[in-house]
Amino acid sequence: MQEIKDRAQVADGPVYSVTARRFHWWTVAFVAMQILLGLYMTYRGNTLNVWDALTNALYSSHKLLGIMILVLMVTRLVYRFSHGAPPDEPTLEPWQKGASHATHWALYALLLAVPFSGYIGISLFPALDIFGLFSLPALAAPDKDAAATVFYWHWVGAVAIILLATVHIGAAVYHYYARKDGVLRRMLVKAGRY
């Protein structure tokens, strides 16, 4: 019975499985928190040059959430490769299908690369301590010059995620309000039940 629910098919067309939708919305929540956390953390640390307990807690939270996003994305991709995705929305034109697939796979790649680069960066710095409770294992020997380069590309990747996510959200809103097709409905929490 759960398998039937998980491979949801409704009168309006196929939707993503319940599990895939949960992965999507957990990713959205974690990445939104991470962006806000990263901006505030770097503002306090790099712009204001305030290095206190709050700034340290923000950096620890950023590292911990980054590891959670990395684990979530690996798990999400394993699920995606083993369960697939529903067919494309039939109303999409070929160029829209291509743009959609390119955007999705670019986001997947960035959502793996950005947390991984952050982990490499904190290994190189080294800044592996989390809340003073434990330290992450190092993935590289300390090298602060290399860390600066990695952190720069980590930032570039984070900006790319924000830009691609904006395009992704804009396309979903466009399809919902202008095209009035089922693109957004396929990923809604209660897909097919409204």
Side-chain angles (χ1 to χ4, degrees), residues 9-166:
Q9 171 73 33
V10 295
D12 294 324
V15 298
Y16 282 89
S17 70
V18 171
T19 303
R21 292 192 310 262
R22 286 181 181 149
F23 276 133
H24 175 272
W25 292 109
W26 276 110
T27 304
V28 169
F30 284 2
V31 169
M33 287 187 293
Q34 188 71 318
I35 289 167
L36 295 174
L37 187 58
L39 290 172
Y40 186 53
M41 160 191 99
T42 55
Y43 174 71
R44 282 183 64 84
N46 298 340
T47 305
L48 298 179
N49 201 25
V50 174
W51 297 97
D52 59 4
L54 175 58
T55 305
N56 287 336
L58 292 169
Y59 273 86
S60 285
S61 299
H62 188 75
K63 289 182 261 188
L64 189 58
L65 192 52
I67 296 298
M68 291 169 63
I69 290 170
L70 185 58
V71 170
L72 175 67
M73 288 308 301
V74 168
T75 307
R76 182 177 178 180
L77 283 170
V78 166
Y79 181 84
R80 171 72 186 261
F81 286 126
S82 63
H83 290 81
D88 291 324
E89 171 68 26
T91 62
L92 293 181
E93 297 173 26
W95 73 267
Q96 290 173 322
K97 289 179 186 180
S100 172
H101 289 278
T103 301
H104 280 99
W105 288 106
L107 279 168
Y108 285 145
L110 285 166
L111 288 166
L112 287 171
V114 170
F116 187 70
S117 68
Y119 195 169
I120 295 293
I122 63 173
S123 293
L124 290 166
F125 194 72
L128 296 160
D129 181 74
I130 307 264
F131 294 110
L133 301 174
F134 62 94
S135 287
L136 296 167
L139 299 180
D143 181 341
K144 288 196 178 184
D145 291 335
T149 301
V150 170
F151 284 138
Y152 170 76
W153 288 108
H154 178 72
W155 174 80
V156 168
V159 170
I161 288 172
I162 293 167
L163 294 174
L164 276 176
T166 302

